[in-house]
Amino acid sequence: MTTTLIDPLLLKSFVAVVESGSFTRAGERVHLSQSTVSQQLRRLEEQLGCQLVDRGGRYVVATDDGERLLGYARRLLGLMDEAVEQLREGHAEGEVRIGVPEDFASDALTPALAAFARAHPAIRLEVTSGLSNTLWRQFCSGDYDLVLVKQRPGHAPGHAVWPEPLAWLDSLAEPTHERDPLPLVAFPPGGLYRDEMIHSLESVGRRWRIGYSSASLASIRSAVADGLGVSVLPSRLALPGHRRLGADEGFADLPALELALHLRADVPRRVIELAERLKTLCAEATGHAG
């Protein structure tokens, strides 16, 4: 059994003839000569083995077979137009690749992303969370269109930066800050919070050990609250079950880090628009809105 493949150009001319009632007007609609439209329609009739239009009257009208084909033809042409439109939109919009620290990877980030997605429904958002040092290296390698990273002040000029004060945190119910060596709850090696914490303790000769390590921010916060050790986190991430430590407990103030938003130099307008949404979000999250 062979399948008859219908040229969409023939269908387009057929629909134009039936809707306009004239080969001449149909030619004007599809930008072809009257004779070319007539030839195309005869080819279509030969291919399907039936007469599709009645040419004998003042106006060209569809036959019974033509009426049956007309609905299919309109649907097929509509589907093809829709497919082309979707592919063109997808190619033009593409995707936006974002790297963010874990504390911005879920609830803090999704409102801005949802608003952006509503404005650009053809864009695919790809969000990756991780340690800032890793995200920065990947950004420099071209893996992301924009990144939010924690960095030391002045590390790299960003599209926007906000101060990120740090705090020593211990358990409120099961404190551990007087133990020797001091148990630490830490991210894996390479994390800025871990580096700042260890450097501060080493500078005053305080003995320490890693009591708990995790790449999960939620796990780190819970471990501190449950009494597994002391940690350093952004002040805004302290939980009700945490106790802040300071000079009275022998813990020196830590220099603030920066939350920085970086964009590739050649990003399209849509990425800049998303960056502006993220600026508002970050300003609110860090308490520097307005």
Side-chain angles (χ1 to χ4, degrees):
M1 179 179 177
T2 58
T3 301
T4 300
L5 299 178
I6 303 176
D7 187 339
L9 294 178
L10 304 185
L11 290 178
K12 189 173 183 180
S13 291
F14 163 68
V15 172
V17 168
V18 173
E19 290 181 345
S20 66
S22 163
F23 287 100
T24 299
R25 287 192 293 271
E28 293 171 353
R29 288 178 58 172
V30 297
H31 307 291
L32 295 172
S33 67
Q34 178 270 338
S35 61
T36 299
V37 172
S38 180
Q39 291 171 10
Q40 287 184 337
L41 196 52
R42 290 196 183 280
R43 283 174 53 198
L44 183 60
E45 289 176 327
E46 291 171 0
Q47 189 174 10
L48 296 177
C50 61
Q51 184 177 341
L52 298 173
V53 297
D54 182 353
R55 299 167 174 81
R58 182 178 178 183
Y59 297 103
V60 180
V61 296
T63 63
D64 290 344
D65 288 331
E67 288 287 353
R68 283 194 290 270
L69 177 63
L70 185 60
Y72 290 110
R74 286 169 171 160
R75 285 159 56 190
L76 288 169
L77 293 172
L79 283 171
M80 285 189 287
D81 289 343
E82 181 181 340
V84 171
E85 182 180 355
Q86 288 296 320
L87 289 172
R88 284 177 176 169
E89 284 186 1
H91 179 72
E93 298 280 18
E95 66 179 11
V96 178
R97 300 163 300 162
I98 309 166
V100 295
E102 189 181 352
D103 50 311
F104 279 88
S106 55
D107 293 346
L109 187 67
T110 50
L113 295 183
F116 180 77
R118 287 191 294 271
H120 300 276
I123 287 181
R124 181 166 64 90
L125 295 172
E126 183 176 317
V127 181
T128 302
S129 63
L131 295 177
S132 289
N133 287 342
T134 301
L135 294 174
W136 176 249
R137 289 196 302 270
Q138 293 170 337
F139 174 73
C140 293
S141 298
D143 291 350
Y144 303 116
D145 298 301
L146 60 84
V147 288
L148 275 172
V149 294
K150 309 298 179 68
Q151 63 182 33
R152 292 186 173 87
H155 167 71
H159 182 72
V161 295
W162 303 267
E164 183 76 295
L166 300 179
W168 291 98
L169 300 177
D170 195 1
S171 171
L172 185 63
E174 302 289 341
T176 61
H177 64 275
E178 294 182 346
R179 296 182 189 175
D180 186 28
L182 179 68
L184 301 180
V185 174
F187 286 96
L192 284 176
Y193 306 149
R194 177 185 177 123
D195 291 348
E196 291 293 335
M197 180 167 54
I198 292 175
H199 174 74
S200 179
L201 295 173
E202 292 283 354
S203 66
V204 296
R206 179 76 183 266
R207 298 202 311 158
W208 58 270
R209 65 178 180 86
I210 300 296
Y212 184 91
S213 179
S214 174
S216 164
L217 173 64
S219 181
I220 292 288
R221 297 167 84 192
S222 294
V224 172
D226 291 337
L228 288 174
V230 169
S231 192
V232 166
L233 289 174
S235 299
R236 61 185 175 83
L237 298 181
L239 296 173
H242 291 161
R243 172 184 175 180
R244 294 174 185 252
L245 304 175
D248 290 344
E249 294 85 11
F251 291 85
D253 291 340
L254 295 165
L257 297 178
E258 287 180 341
L259 174 64
L261 176 62
H262 296 277
L263 307 182
R264 285 194 297 107
D266 57 344
V267 293
R269 179 190 54 80
R270 63 180 181 271
V271 177
I272 297 174
E273 179 185 334
L274 178 57
E276 292 305 307
R277 293 179 185 270
L278 294 182
K279 281 176 62 176
T280 301
L281 178 150
C282 293
E284 293 173 350
T286 57
H288 291 84

